[in-house]
Amino acid sequence: MKRFETERCMSTMPRAWFVQKRNLRTSGWLVILPLAVLLFAAVGLRAAPQTSKQQWKSLPFAIVRYNDDAPKSWSVYHGDRKGIYLVRLWKRYLLIDTDSQSAFEIDPGRVKVQGENAQLSTADIPGEPIETSEWKSRNAGPVIRHRFRFGPTGNFMELQIPVLPNGRPAY
């Protein structure tokens, strides 16, 4: 009887080994295929041109002062990041970065205004900032005041951005 049981086990062993090996091959493809799809998708996204347009929303209660006087035509927009503002001053656009204390002049033809929102491509932001000096940022209660001078002896510009009582921006 022992001999019969041993022969029976040997006859089924190769078949069990083949089934197990086939399952491993199938499960291997189930892992490799999604990884390949993700890899091709990542390469495709990286190869796509980076023409992202950033949405800028109007800041309704912001105040702009130019040489301690209110300009006749102005508006302030905020982006996704805190401390970066797009300011329209007459027919001129300025991108103000309060964290790095820099200002960039933006070509007005590159800014597309739609109602209370504006669109600006990140490729349209120049690499060189305008020369500024005498940056002062001050928390003045309901507003944060950012004041700076264009050049060493130029005109002053002041932005007053509304904040909540806990110090966070009101937008």
Side-chain angles (χ1 to χ4, degrees):
M1 229 190 247
K2 277 188 165 180
R3 185 172 170 226
F4 179 70
E5 288 177 11
T6 309
E7 285 178 2
R8 196 171 100 204
C9 288
M10 289 182 137
S11 67
T12 59
M13 189 169 139
R15 183 170 178 224
W17 177 78
F18 175 74
V19 170
Q20 186 179 15
K21 188 174 179 181
R22 188 180 71 194
N23 285 344
L24 284 176
R25 262 194 253 146
T26 307
S27 64
W29 280 109
L30 290 176
V31 171
I32 292 173
L33 187 63
L35 288 176
V37 169
L38 287 174
L39 177 68
F40 286 123
V43 169
L45 289 176
R46 181 170 276 218
Q50 298 283 336
T51 58
S52 63
K53 293 212 176 213
Q54 186 174 2
Q55 284 292 109
W56 296 84
K57 297 179 183 171
S58 179
L59 249 150
F61 297 109
I63 297 172
V64 176
R65 298 183 61 82
Y66 190 76
N67 285 339
D68 294 326
D69 206 10
K72 290 184 180 181
S73 174
W74 62 271
S75 58
V76 179
Y77 302 94
H78 70 89
D80 298 334
R81 288 183 35 208
K82 180 181 171 184
I84 298 180
Y85 305 101
L86 182 65
V87 179
R88 183 182 58 83
L89 190 63
W90 295 293
K91 294 180 180 180
R92 183 178 182 182
Y93 282 93
L94 299 170
L95 183 74
I96 310 293
D97 186 355
T98 59
D99 294 333
S100 67
Q101 296 184 345
S102 57
F104 300 90
E105 187 167 7
I106 305 294
D107 180 22
R110 304 285 183 178
V111 179
K112 293 178 179 63
V113 178
Q114 301 160 345
E116 291 192 7
N117 296 333
Q119 273 190 347
L120 175 66
S121 176
T122 54
D124 295 333
I125 300 172
E128 285 290 317
I130 300 172
E131 185 181 354
T132 57
S133 62
E134 299 182 33
W135 273 87
K136 294 178 186 171
S137 293
R138 183 176 153 224
N139 188 346
V143 295
I144 294 179
R145 293 176 53 196
H146 303 285
R147 183 179 171 102
F148 61 94
R149 182 185 289 267
F150 291 105
T153 58
N155 298 325
F156 277 104
M157 182 171 172
E158 182 178 311
L159 285 176
Q160 296 180 11
I161 308 299
V163 292
L164 298 173
N166 62 1
R168 292 187 175 187
Y171 51 88

